[in-house]
Amino acid sequence: IYWCKFFGGAPMIVSNISKIMDKKKISYRRLTELSGVAGQTIYRARGAFIYECRLSTLDALAKALGVELKALFDEVQNEMVGVEKREE
């Protein structure tokens, strides 16, 4: 018999930068101009690699977007699923 088991994992950081850029109609190029942050870094910050960004980089992006730093990301619970075999 196989059982599914849910584990509470470490919190995960999820970027909101894409949503904010879309809402404010700001392009990569414009955000680069406003923030002084390289386009490649903005691309990475918009996705799963936001956790690799320096605080100073995130601060520059937040100021350029006109939002508080904490608005750039959400912390969500990462739930992992495991399957285990049990004898009955």
Side-chain angles (χ1 to χ4, degrees), residues 7-12 75-80:
F7 304 94
M12 225 170 83
E75 190 175 312
V76 295
Q77 191 64 29
N78 183 16
E79 294 184 5
M80 299 181 296

Side-chain angles (χ1 to χ4, degrees), residues 2 4 6 10 14 16 18-19 40 46-47 50 54-55 58 60 68 71-72 76 81 85 88:
Y2 290 91
C4 285
F6 293 91
V14 178
N16 292 327
S18 290
K19 292 178 192 174
Q40 183 64 26
R46 285 177 50 138
I50 189 170
R54 293 179 182 174
L55 188 55
L58 295 176
E68 292 186 26
L72 297 184
V76 295
V81 178
K85 185 176 181 179
E88 288 205 22

